[in-house]
Amino acid sequence: EVQLVESGGGLVQAGGSLRLSCAASGFTFDDYAIGWFRQAPGKEREGVSCVGVKDGTTYHTDSVKGRFTISSDNAENTVFLQMNSLKSEDTAVYYCAAVFGWCSWAEDEYEYWGRGTQVTVSS
């Protein structure tokens, strides 16, 4: 079965760091790109970052650019999101998702989704 399992969320103070992990299984990892999305209470889900597994091309939305870094460990079928200089507005449930081919900001193109991990940034 296809699985995407997020881990690494938690409570952190503003200015601190967390590293999220997304462990993938049940599909051909390097045929896909992996994105991170987040959803804060009362708000729509938004794209955060994406990595093309095969070529390592990365994308980050403007609000996290310079603070977050997405990367992929292809040998372990795992994608990471390193989050630095966290702000209270980063508080959300973070999801990883897989899209066939290359990165996209369109949520409806993603085939597989994890269940999410909570990130809470205190101020």
Side-chain angles (χ1 to χ4, degrees), residues 85-102:
S85 302
L86 283 160
K87 306 174 181 180
S88 60
E89 53 261 47
D90 296 318
T91 295
V93 177
Y94 283 71
Y95 302 88
C96 66
V99 56
F100 183 80
W102 49 87

Side-chain angles (χ1 to χ4, degrees), residues 26-50:
F27 62 96
T28 304
F29 188 64
D30 62 3
D31 284 345
Y32 285 75
I34 305 295
W36 285 97
F37 296 80
R38 66 186 181 187
Q39 187 166 27
K43 296 186 177 180
E44 294 185 356
R45 189 163 56 193
E46 64 173 341
V48 177
S49 302
C50 187

